[in-house]
């Protein structure tokens, strides 16, 4: 049997409905392919195809040994993959497979209902991984498909078309939309239940440590890290440094945050001093599961986040009391002109010149050579820094995301052998050389630059904008930012030579056809996503209370929110009751007009039942009153009333219902029989 040639409209209803439900389930599962193991996708696809084949050929469903065997295989594979049967990833894997297996025992409508509601539950699991606009659109399509299948299952008689069930489903969704909107606006906001994927090593982005030389090729991640909206003109792109973790401890392979080895009174203090005009801006930060806030250097005010405590470390990094697992929005104030750190040497600076013994010997020899040429001591620090930057500018060094895997002595390989790397190689090699020169130095990670969206005016910072730069300590100035990558590739901190993630086939074709169209489409799509983030994902508890303020509450609380929600529910219930009453009164105006005619004739002495049709009623009128003018006119009106309902549609001699209602009010009814 050629299944491809089978027309959906020619299939038996049971087969058609089964195939439609399997297609919807396939769409639900397909949205999870990126988050479930490959064997789970393959097993689910195989089961759905198997079930579709059985439906098309009219074959019996497999017995319980088959289902039990597949279930055992699923449990074993899940355990082998996740080492547990509990938790988010293992749970999603099991739910997806169980949904497909349930279709193998879908014999009655009751079994179909189990599949419906299991699919609804599976839809919710998509939000564990993404809450983007694209995900929401895909879930909406799946929701309408499941509602269509559910409505169709409640239409057991005949063969109703799926289009009719789809119209009813969309009507149900439209009627439920206002209720959803009210609950979204007024139901108390709880912390999100959804998670986000863990960091993927080998991709651009930030981590709490930096392992130099272990990644042969950097995969540029084009996903958005944060968006900004500046009050007034933004600073130049070269000044947009968003500070993250500061790495000071180095073991020869990995950079880590420093562990305080000094008493609190001897530890380094921030000693932040700012000057110039402040930069005010609003940040919308994507979830990253780290207790970090990314702000422009140097922020002078703690951002206000609902139910989150924020503090600034002595290294000017902003931390929260819990990981940021959901999208957040906050306002910030920064100064691009500042200084920080001690102005005079302190014992705590010694840890910032420490190097592991026996590491990078050629870099140590280079440091000896530079000291002989430019001198030693605090006064020589600016000359030594300038000499190293000049070496980077003129020594043939290259900024590339494909440096190859480095060996044990990463700085030696960078300075003398490979002469290429991305920002982590350059910053690490620079700081190692500074420490070899007895200059306190450390690595700062974060984001640099970004691009402005021409559609909505927001400044977009992506994961590929993750960056590492250096800070060196100079007497009388404190910590001074030095970006050695800018010496190798000045365009990396400007707008000319920034690296871009590889494009897909469709995006590449559009860009080759018209680069401006590709850029405009991307900007428009990201503006839509930003609006979704601002108005939906970032609708927080604070914004709920702000809504109450706009409604007139001076000091709104959760009790006020509950009162407003209860009031809205009561009001909607009353409106619904009134609508039901009105609809009942307005139900079928033709029948209502016929009932009025029966009541009028009864008042004139002619009884009839509620089932008496207009034609029979006309005959009774003529039999009861004879051929009088009034009786003839009433009988003719009743015949026209019957033709209005049962006559040929569109006929010119059939009056409208409004015309019949007018004539009814003008009729002269026969007099009541005096007997």
């Amino acid at each position: 049997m050629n299944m491809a040639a089978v027309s959906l409209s020619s299939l038996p209803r049971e087969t058609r409905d089964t195939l439609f439900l399997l297609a919807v389930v396939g769409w639900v599962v397909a949205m999870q392919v990126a988050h479930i193991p490959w064997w789970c996708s393959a097993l689910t696809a195989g089961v759905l195809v198997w079930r579709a084949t059985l439906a098309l050929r009219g074959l019996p469903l497999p017995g319980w040994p088959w289902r039990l065997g597949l279930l055992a295989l699923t449990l074993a594979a899940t355990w082998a993959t996740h080492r547990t049967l509990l938790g988010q990833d293992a749970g999603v894997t099991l739910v997806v497979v169980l949904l497909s297996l349930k279709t193998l025992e879908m014999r009655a409508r009751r079994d179909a209902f189990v599949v419906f509601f299991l699919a609804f539950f599976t839809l919710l699991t998509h939000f564990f991984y993404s809450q983007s606009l694209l995900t929401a659109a895909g879930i909406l399509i799946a929701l309408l498909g499941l509602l269509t299948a559910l409505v169709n299952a409640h239409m057991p008689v005949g063969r109703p078309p799926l289009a009719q069930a789809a119209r009813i489903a969309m009507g149900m969704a439209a009627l439920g939309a206002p209720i959803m909107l009210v609950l979204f606006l007024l139901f108390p906001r709880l912390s999100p239940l959804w998670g986000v994927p863990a960091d993927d090593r080998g991709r651009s982005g930030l981590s709490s440590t930096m392992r130099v030389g272990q990644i042969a090729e950097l995969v540029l991640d084009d996903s958005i890290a944060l968006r900004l909206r500046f009050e007034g003109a933004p600073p130049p792109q070269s000044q947009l440094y968003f500070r993250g973790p500061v790495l000071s401890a180095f073991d020869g392979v990995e950079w880590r945050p420093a562990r305080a080895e000094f008493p609190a009174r001897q530890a380094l203090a921030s000693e932040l001093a700012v000057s110039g005009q402040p930069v005010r801006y609003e940040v919308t930060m994507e979830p990253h599961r780290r207790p970090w806030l990314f702000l422009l250097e140097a922020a002078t005010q703690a951002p206000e986040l609902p139910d989150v405590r924020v503090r600034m470390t002595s290294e000017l990094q902003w931390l929260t009391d819990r990981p940021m697992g959901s999208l957040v929005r906050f306002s910030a104030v920064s100064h691009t002109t500042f200084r920080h750190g001690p102005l005079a040497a302190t014992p705590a600076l010694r840890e910032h010149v420490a190097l592991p013994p026996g590491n990078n010997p050629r870099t140590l020899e280079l440091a000896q050579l530079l000291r002989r040429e430019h001198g030693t001591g605090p006064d020589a620090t600016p000359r030594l820094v300038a000499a190293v930057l000049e070496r980077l500018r003129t020594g043939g060094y290259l900024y590339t995301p494909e440096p190859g895997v480095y060996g044990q002595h990463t700085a030696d390989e960078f300075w003398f052998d490979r002469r290429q790397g991305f920002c982590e190689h350059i910053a690490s090699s620079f700081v190692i050389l500074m420490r070899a020169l007895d200059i306190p130095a450390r690595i700062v990670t974060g984001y640099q630059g970004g691009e402005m969206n021409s559609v909505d005016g927001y400044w977009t910072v992506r994961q590929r904008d993750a960056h590492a730069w250096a800070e060196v300590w100079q007497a009388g100035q404190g910590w001074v930012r030095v970006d050695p990558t800018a010496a190798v590739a000045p365009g990396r901190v400007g707008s000319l030579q920034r690296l871009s993630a590889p494009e897909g086939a469709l995006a590449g074709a559009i860009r080759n056809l018209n680069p401006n169209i590709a850029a405009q489409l991307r900007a428009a799509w990201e503006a839509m996503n930003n609006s979704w983030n601002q108005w939906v994902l970032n609708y927080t508890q604070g914004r709920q209370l702000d809504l109450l303020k706009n409604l007139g509450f001076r000091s709104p609380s959760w009790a006020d929110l509950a009162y407003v929600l209860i009031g809205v529910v009561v009001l909607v219930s009353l409106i619904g009751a009134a609508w039901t009453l009105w609809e009942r009164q307005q139900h079928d105006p033709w029948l209502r007009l016929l009932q009025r005619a029966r009541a009028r004739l009864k008042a004139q002495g002619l009884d009839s039942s509620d089932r008496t049709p207009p034609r029979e009623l006309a005959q009774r009128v003529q039999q009861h009153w004879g051929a009088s003018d009034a009786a003839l006119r009433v009988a003719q009106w009743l015949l026209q009333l019957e033709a209005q309902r049962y006559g040929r549609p569109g006929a010119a001699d059939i009056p409208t219902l409004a015309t019949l209602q007018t004539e009814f009010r003008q009729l002269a009814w026969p007099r009541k029989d005096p007997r």
Side-chain angles (χ1 to χ4, degrees):
M1 180 177 181
N2 187 1
M3 292 183 292
V6 175
S7 172
L8 193 64
S9 60
S10 64
L11 293 173
R13 179 182 173 182
E14 181 180 354
T15 303
R16 183 204 66 177
D17 294 350
T18 300
L19 293 179
F20 178 75
L21 179 57
L22 291 175
V24 176
V25 171
W27 174 261
V28 172
V29 174
M31 294 175 61
Q32 285 285 28
V33 167
H35 311 300
I36 55 179
W38 67 268
W39 62 263
C40 180
S41 301
L43 178 60
T44 302
V47 169
L48 294 179
V49 171
W50 184 18
R51 182 63 178 87
T53 303
L54 295 177
L56 284 171
R57 295 181 177 178
L59 300 176
L61 297 181
W64 66 266
W66 275 101
R67 299 195 300 272
L68 185 60
L70 290 174
L71 178 60
L73 177 63
T74 298
L75 293 175
T78 302
W79 178 267
T81 303
H82 302 289
R83 296 300 175 185
T84 181
L85 297 180
L86 304 176
Q88 173 181 306
D89 294 336
V92 170
T93 300
L94 288 174
V95 166
V96 168
V97 177
L98 291 176
L99 173 61
S100 64
L101 292 180
K102 186 61 183 176
T103 63
L104 293 178
E105 57 179 13
M106 194 168 55
R107 294 180 172 87
R109 192 165 59 153
R110 180 183 61 184
D111 299 321
F113 287 158
V114 175
V115 174
F116 294 150
F117 295 113
L118 189 57
F120 281 125
F121 180 80
T122 307
L123 276 183
L124 291 177
T125 65
H126 291 79
F127 288 118
F128 285 137
Y129 303 100
S130 174
Q131 304 95 48
S132 68
L133 180 59
L134 190 61
T135 299
I139 288 178
L140 178 60
I141 294 173
L143 176 64
L144 292 176
L146 287 173
L147 285 177
T148 299
L150 186 60
V151 170
N152 183 66
H154 283 85
M155 305 168 70
V157 179
R159 184 189 168 88
L162 288 175
Q164 179 184 356
R167 286 193 297 270
I168 296 175
M170 287 188 286
M172 293 169 56
L175 290 175
I179 300 175
M180 179 193 69
L181 179 61
V182 170
L183 292 177
F184 173 79
L185 292 175
L186 298 178
F187 195 83
R189 309 297 290 179
L190 304 176
S191 297
L193 302 177
W194 324 117
V196 293
D199 291 342
D200 185 4
R201 287 190 177 273
R203 290 186 175 272
S204 55
L206 293 185
S207 176
S208 57
T209 61
M210 192 174 82
R211 198 173 183 88
V212 183
Q214 301 300 305
I215 299 175
E217 180 178 355
L218 181 66
V219 179
L220 295 175
D221 186 352
D222 215 31
S223 61
I224 294 175
L226 56 146
R227 292 181 174 91
L228 298 95
R229 183 173 60 183
F230 291 94
E231 293 184 11
Q237 190 178 35
S238 59
Q239 295 184 16
L240 298 181
Y241 284 84
F242 302 90
R243 196 177 185 93
V246 180
L247 312 177
S248 301
F250 182 58
D251 60 6
V253 177
E254 188 177 64
W255 286 92
R256 301 182 306 277
R259 295 182 178 179
E261 300 178 357
F262 298 90
R265 65 179 182 275
Q266 296 182 6
L268 291 175
S270 62
E271 300 185 31
L272 176 63
V274 299
S275 60
Q277 292 295 322
V279 178
R280 302 182 185 276
Y281 54 100
E282 183 182 76
V283 181
T284 303
M285 192 174 69
E286 298 289 331
H288 56 276
R289 273 188 171 176
R290 303 283 189 176
W292 307 332
L293 294 183
F294 298 105
L295 284 78
L296 279 175
E297 296 184 316
T300 54
Q301 298 179 10
E304 294 184 3
L305 278 73
D307 300 327
V308 177
R309 288 182 294 178
V310 181
R311 66 180 179 90
M312 186 182 71
T313 69
S314 61
E315 297 170 329
L316 303 190
Q317 182 186 6
W318 288 90
L319 300 178
T320 60
D321 61 349
R322 63 170 180 260
M324 293 288 96
S326 61
L327 183 138
V328 294
R329 184 172 66 175
F330 54 87
S331 298
V333 179
S334 297
H335 287 74
T336 56
T337 304
F338 64 97
R339 69 163 184 80
H340 68 109
L343 300 181
T346 67
L349 288 173
R350 290 202 303 269
E351 66 177 340
H352 293 88
V353 295
L355 288 172
N359 191 259
N360 296 295
R362 287 186 289 171
T363 301
L364 298 180
E365 294 176 1
L366 175 61
Q368 296 285 353
L369 176 62
L370 291 173
R371 277 199 295 264
R372 287 195 296 268
E373 292 180 358
H374 301 283
T376 60
D379 294 339
T381 297
R383 297 194 298 273
L384 291 169
V385 172
V388 175
L389 293 178
E390 182 63 21
R391 182 184 183 91
L392 288 171
R393 279 190 289 267
T394 60
Y397 294 93
L398 179 65
Y399 176 65
T400 174
E402 301 178 6
V405 177
Y406 276 59
Q408 177 184 358
H409 306 292
T410 56
D412 283 358
E413 288 192 45
F414 175 79
W415 288 116
F416 301 103
D417 301 328
R418 298 177 183 267
R419 296 176 182 263
Q420 64 179 5
F422 46 90
C423 57
E424 74 168 25
H425 299 89
I426 303 172
S428 175
S429 301
F430 178 84
V431 171
I432 291 173
L433 181 54
M434 288 294 105
R435 292 189 174 192
L437 292 167
D438 292 327
I439 299 174
R442 62 192 185 188
I443 294 176
V444 183
T445 61
Y447 297 95
Q448 198 286 318
E451 57 189 358
M452 190 179 73
N453 189 313
S454 59
V455 175
D456 59 7
Y458 277 78
W459 200 268
T460 304
V461 180
R462 305 178 185 278
Q463 292 296 344
R464 62 177 165 84
D465 295 317
H467 193 47
W469 60 94
E471 282 186 338
V472 298
W473 183 84
Q474 297 186 23
Q477 298 184 50
W479 291 107
V480 178
R481 181 206 302 150
V482 180
D483 192 344
T485 302
V488 176
R492 171 60 183 84
V493 295
S495 59
L496 300 177
Q497 302 173 3
R498 304 184 70 83
L499 298 177
S500 300
E503 296 177 329
L506 179 60
I510 295 177
R511 183 182 58 79
N512 292 333
L513 181 64
N514 191 321
N516 292 331
I517 291 180
Q520 291 172 3
L521 289 176
R522 178 174 179 173
W525 171 249
E526 291 184 351
M528 291 173 59
N529 268 291
N530 185 38
S531 299
W532 170 262
N533 291 341
Q534 300 295 332
W535 296 104
V536 179
L537 298 185
N538 199 42
Y539 186 70
T540 59
Q541 298 172 353
R543 297 186 69 181
Q544 275 190 316
L545 297 180
D546 290 340
L547 175 62
L548 294 186
K549 290 181 181 179
N550 295 332
L551 294 177
F553 291 86
R554 293 185 178 180
S555 299
S557 63
W558 297 120
D560 297 326
L561 188 64
Y563 293 147
V564 173
L565 181 58
I566 292 173
V568 171
V569 170
V570 171
L571 178 61
V572 171
S573 300
L574 293 175
I575 293 175
W579 173 269
T580 302
L581 180 61
W582 179 84
E583 186 180 39
R584 180 176 299 176
Q585 294 175 348
Q586 298 295 319
H587 182 67
D588 200 340
W590 185 89
L591 287 176
R592 190 172 65 255
L593 185 58
L594 177 59
Q595 187 61 32
R596 291 174 62 188
R598 290 196 185 108
R600 178 63 65 87
L601 291 173
K602 184 177 181 180
Q604 301 302 115
L606 180 62
D607 289 333
S608 62
S609 69
D610 291 340
R611 296 185 179 182
T612 304
R615 180 172 294 275
E616 182 179 345
L617 199 57
Q619 293 174 356
R620 292 187 182 183
V621 166
Q622 290 183 313
Q623 291 173 0
H624 188 79
W625 280 290
S628 66
D629 291 342
L632 290 175
R633 284 195 295 269
V634 170
Q636 182 64 28
W637 182 87
L638 288 170
L639 292 175
Q640 289 180 332
L641 180 65
E642 181 174 276
Q644 204 281 330
R645 171 60 65 94
Y646 302 109
R648 183 167 55 86
D653 57 340
I654 297 179
T656 64
L657 190 61
T659 302
L660 291 174
Q661 290 172 339
T662 302
E663 292 178 354
F664 176 81
R665 292 191 295 268
Q666 298 173 351
L667 279 175
W669 295 86
R671 294 184 179 182
K672 185 175 181 180
D673 191 342
R675 294 174 299 176

